[in-house]
Amino acid sequence: MRVDLESLASFSQTGDRGGVRAADSLEALTGVPAYCDLTRTTLVDGEGLASFLGDASTRIEVPFDGALSGRALVSYEKPFAARIAEELGMGSGALPEVANILTSGFVDVWAEQAESTIDIQPPRPVEDDARVLEDAAVADGSAFVFESHVELADGDGTCRFAVLPDVEPFVDYLEAGSEDVTLSPGELAAYVQLTAESASAVADHLAAMTGIDANGVESHLDFVPVERVPSLLDDAAYEGAVFESEGGLNTVIAVLFDESEQGAVADAMLPGSDHDPSMAQSAVAELGNVTASGVLDGWANAIDTSIDISTPSHVHDDGRAVLDTVAAAYGRHADAIAVVDATVALDEDVTCRVCAFPDPQDADTVAEIASELTGDETVPEFPPEDAGGGGE
Amino acid sequence: MSSGAQKTRVSVADWRVLDGEGPLVTSGLGSCVAVSVYDTDDAIGGLLHAMLPAAPSPVETPAKYVDSGLDEMLSAIYRRGASPDTVAAKVVGGSSMLDISVGEAIGDRNVEAAERALDDAGVPLVAAETGGNSGRSVSFCPASGDVTIDRVDSEVEVI
């Protein structure tokens, strides 16, 4: 059985339309322009799923069933919740209704492509994360999450909106929507394993270079419409390096550090020294180089080949502008792309974000790497090759 | 599209038109370009954040491309009452931040596409701040036509 993830890459477009529809529904309810910022379809392991539940004080769960079953989790940042309460004049009592509206808007897009309806159940507060995780869709260690961030005009704060479909009905739904599509949740786990191994390599190499062990590691495989790629990061200033690889696999890989203060990465590399800006830049480039090489070496070793890495482009810039450039580069060839997305928190001062963008044309090679890393002889079909893009 | 005196965000591959002070804002411009068009006599204007120079045919997401996005936005501006005789444009973005072979020179090509599309549409380009190797964020006031450009580690600039 082959895993056809191409349908998932193209399905990120459907998830994007769902996120936009949800924002439109909110705008209709409040009369305030609402925007859908990030939208992504994510493959994540069971442990990583917890990070998608959000940590806001007000979180609402909205179950749904019918043509598709699952649940939406709406996590309201305080400023966003306050703005909703103000606009609707209902206090915090408006938040379950807003969760309902968002969920309804999102699943309407799915329902339009299904043979039967999707029914929304009454919203309820999230009181027990463990119960939600138990109920959430996890099959062979992997789960799907459709994540959107919704914002209101002139407002602070975000509403983080995650839809978790139950795996089996979702796979049935995908298979019904496309001829010759066969998805195996077990084989999807190969890609989850690829991201986990990559994140582990990042943490190991950072620890070796800085002497600081990671105190938090997250990883997932994101499928993102190209125009949404920049929103994987916020618009804060990131320090880091961007590389290109060639040989066994063509990839663009960005190693970006979110610093509490400029120079925090260099301080970690060169403790106690009074380093000048050029020395700090070299230290960051070297750390990026070692980190990116660590990830790519793991991939190259899996398929017994070599992957060469370019001279880095040093960046100290708006994170979104950095990814904007990568997105535009790939946007000529694909409408949606896959991103190996790893976040490693070194300490309170430095977080390292690694985003690897395998060339869509090297999809088969990535599939082979994922398969080898799990010891699975079945080579899954990797997106986003020909995921709707016309190319040039 | 929206109207009113409040900050309105424009996402990547999107455009928005409004009348009034605005502003219209967009962030994270790397190789993308922001094209602002406004009526110098009336407070009507629009901001496009486009990723790529030229649309394929047929095009599914016009705002992703400079040429089709500008076409679409200009139509909306004129529907709002702006006059083709009194509109003007400003272009920001198109940087070359990364030394990568894939998508080579896409920033320059986006800027060229914006200049060409504006010329084809008969809209004078009155100011531009393009190229270089850093990212930009933009805030555009349709009433004044002012475009405020913000960069990491640089002074704010108004064109």
Side-chain angles (χ1 to χ4, degrees), chain A residues 261-274:
Chain A
E261 290 182 18
Q262 189 173 356
V265 175
D267 286 343
M269 289 277 290
L270 309 164
S273 65
D274 187 13

PDB file of all heavy atoms in Angstrom, chain A residues 261-274:
ATOM      1  N   GLU A 261      17.361  38.955  23.472  1.00  0.00           N
ATOM      2  CA  GLU A 261      18.165  40.147  23.230  1.00  0.00           C
ATOM      3  C   GLU A 261      19.138  39.831  22.105  1.00  0.00           C
ATOM      4  O   GLU A 261      19.651  38.705  22.025  1.00  0.00           O
ATOM      5  CB  GLU A 261      18.977  40.526  24.473  1.00  0.00           C
ATOM      6  CG  GLU A 261      18.149  41.052  25.613  1.00  0.00           C
ATOM      7  CD  GLU A 261      19.025  41.446  26.799  1.00  0.00           C
ATOM      8  OE1 GLU A 261      20.233  41.631  26.606  1.00  0.00           O
ATOM      9  OE2 GLU A 261      18.470  41.555  27.897  1.00  0.00           O
ATOM     10  N   GLN A 262      19.377  40.838  21.258  1.00  0.00           N
ATOM     11  CA  GLN A 262      20.323  40.605  20.171  1.00  0.00           C
ATOM     12  C   GLN A 262      21.684  40.227  20.756  1.00  0.00           C
ATOM     13  O   GLN A 262      22.168  40.878  21.680  1.00  0.00           O
ATOM     14  CB  GLN A 262      20.451  41.843  19.292  1.00  0.00           C
ATOM     15  CG  GLN A 262      21.253  41.562  18.032  1.00  0.00           C
ATOM     16  CD  GLN A 262      21.257  42.732  17.065  1.00  0.00           C
ATOM     17  OE1 GLN A 262      20.602  43.742  17.305  1.00  0.00           O
ATOM     18  NE2 GLN A 262      21.973  42.592  15.971  1.00  0.00           N
ATOM     19  N   GLY A 263      22.263  39.175  20.211  1.00  0.00           N
ATOM     20  CA  GLY A 263      23.562  38.725  20.686  1.00  0.00           C
ATOM     21  C   GLY A 263      23.482  37.542  21.633  1.00  0.00           C
ATOM     22  O   GLY A 263      24.515  37.002  22.030  1.00  0.00           O
ATOM     23  N   ALA A 264      22.260  37.129  21.971  1.00  0.00           N
ATOM     24  CA  ALA A 264      22.110  36.021  22.919  1.00  0.00           C
ATOM     25  C   ALA A 264      22.698  34.721  22.370  1.00  0.00           C
ATOM     26  O   ALA A 264      23.284  33.926  23.115  1.00  0.00           O
ATOM     27  CB  ALA A 264      20.636  35.828  23.282  1.00  0.00           C
ATOM     28  N   VAL A 265      22.563  34.508  21.061  1.00  0.00           N
ATOM     29  CA  VAL A 265      23.120  33.287  20.467  1.00  0.00           C
ATOM     30  C   VAL A 265      24.646  33.325  20.536  1.00  0.00           C
ATOM     31  O   VAL A 265      25.296  32.346  20.915  1.00  0.00           O
ATOM     32  CB  VAL A 265      22.657  33.137  18.996  1.00  0.00           C
ATOM     33  CG1 VAL A 265      23.342  31.935  18.355  1.00  0.00           C
ATOM     34  CG2 VAL A 265      21.153  32.974  18.935  1.00  0.00           C
ATOM     35  N   ALA A 266      25.202  34.478  20.160  1.00  0.00           N
ATOM     36  CA  ALA A 266      26.659  34.604  20.217  1.00  0.00           C
ATOM     37  C   ALA A 266      27.150  34.432  21.654  1.00  0.00           C
ATOM     38  O   ALA A 266      28.210  33.834  21.894  1.00  0.00           O
ATOM     39  CB  ALA A 266      27.089  35.963  19.658  1.00  0.00           C
ATOM     40  N   ASP A 267      26.399  34.941  22.605  1.00  0.00           N
ATOM     41  CA  ASP A 267      26.783  34.776  24.015  1.00  0.00           C
ATOM     42  C   ASP A 267      26.824  33.298  24.392  1.00  0.00           C
ATOM     43  O   ASP A 267      27.700  32.861  25.154  1.00  0.00           O
ATOM     44  CB  ASP A 267      25.784  35.503  24.923  1.00  0.00           C
ATOM     45  CG  ASP A 267      25.961  37.009  24.863  1.00  0.00           C
ATOM     46  OD1 ASP A 267      27.020  37.464  24.404  1.00  0.00           O
ATOM     47  OD2 ASP A 267      25.018  37.726  25.255  1.00  0.00           O
ATOM     48  N   ALA A 268      25.865  32.542  23.859  1.00  0.00           N
ATOM     49  CA  ALA A 268      25.836  31.106  24.160  1.00  0.00           C
ATOM     50  C   ALA A 268      27.021  30.391  23.526  1.00  0.00           C
ATOM     51  O   ALA A 268      27.580  29.448  24.087  1.00  0.00           O
ATOM     52  CB  ALA A 268      24.525  30.501  23.657  1.00  0.00           C
ATOM     53  N   MET A 269      27.416  30.882  22.334  1.00  0.00           N
ATOM     54  CA  MET A 269      28.545  30.258  21.628  1.00  0.00           C
ATOM     55  C   MET A 269      29.884  30.674  22.228  1.00  0.00           C
ATOM     56  O   MET A 269      30.832  29.879  22.272  1.00  0.00           O
ATOM     57  CB  MET A 269      28.526  30.701  20.150  1.00  0.00           C
ATOM     58  CG  MET A 269      27.407  30.098  19.334  1.00  0.00           C
ATOM     59  SD  MET A 269      27.838  28.466  18.768  1.00  0.00           S
ATOM     60  CE  MET A 269      29.096  28.840  17.567  1.00  0.00           C
ATOM     61  N   LEU A 270      29.957  31.939  22.601  1.00  0.00           N
ATOM     62  CA  LEU A 270      31.235  32.500  23.052  1.00  0.00           C
ATOM     63  C   LEU A 270      31.069  33.103  24.436  1.00  0.00           C
ATOM     64  O   LEU A 270      31.165  34.316  24.611  1.00  0.00           O
ATOM     65  CB  LEU A 270      31.696  33.582  22.062  1.00  0.00           C
ATOM     66  CG  LEU A 270      31.718  33.194  20.583  1.00  0.00           C
ATOM     67  CD1 LEU A 270      31.794  34.418  19.688  1.00  0.00           C
ATOM     68  CD2 LEU A 270      32.903  32.268  20.326  1.00  0.00           C
ATOM     69  N   PRO A 271      30.792  32.281  25.426  1.00  0.00           N
ATOM     70  CA  PRO A 271      30.516  32.831  26.751  1.00  0.00           C
ATOM     71  C   PRO A 271      31.710  33.591  27.311  1.00  0.00           C
ATOM     72  O   PRO A 271      32.854  33.165  27.154  1.00  0.00           O
ATOM     73  CB  PRO A 271      30.201  31.579  27.598  1.00  0.00           C
ATOM     74  CG  PRO A 271      30.805  30.444  26.855  1.00  0.00           C
ATOM     75  CD  PRO A 271      30.767  30.822  25.411  1.00  0.00           C
ATOM     76  N   GLY A 272      31.399  34.720  27.914  1.00  0.00           N
ATOM     77  CA  GLY A 272      32.435  35.467  28.597  1.00  0.00           C
ATOM     78  C   GLY A 272      33.253  36.365  27.708  1.00  0.00           C
ATOM     79  O   GLY A 272      34.040  37.165  28.186  1.00  0.00           O
ATOM     80  N   SER A 273      33.098  36.255  26.395  1.00  0.00           N
ATOM     81  CA  SER A 273      33.921  37.100  25.523  1.00  0.00           C
ATOM     82  C   SER A 273      33.144  38.345  25.119  1.00  0.00           C
ATOM     83  O   SER A 273      31.926  38.336  25.054  1.00  0.00           O
ATOM     84  CB  SER A 273      34.339  36.324  24.271  1.00  0.00           C
ATOM     85  OG  SER A 273      33.209  36.014  23.485  1.00  0.00           O
ATOM     86  N   ASP A 274      33.885  39.396  24.846  1.00  0.00           N
ATOM     87  CA  ASP A 274      33.277  40.649  24.422  1.00  0.00           C
ATOM     88  C   ASP A 274      33.357  40.691  22.899  1.00  0.00           C
ATOM     89  O   ASP A 274      34.269  41.269  22.332  1.00  0.00           O
ATOM     90  CB  ASP A 274      34.034  41.817  25.046  1.00  0.00           C
ATOM     91  CG  ASP A 274      33.324  43.136  24.772  1.00  0.00           C
ATOM     92  OD1 ASP A 274      32.151  43.084  24.335  1.00  0.00           O
ATOM     93  OD2 ASP A 274      33.947  44.191  24.981  1.00  0.00           O
TER      94      ASP A 274
END
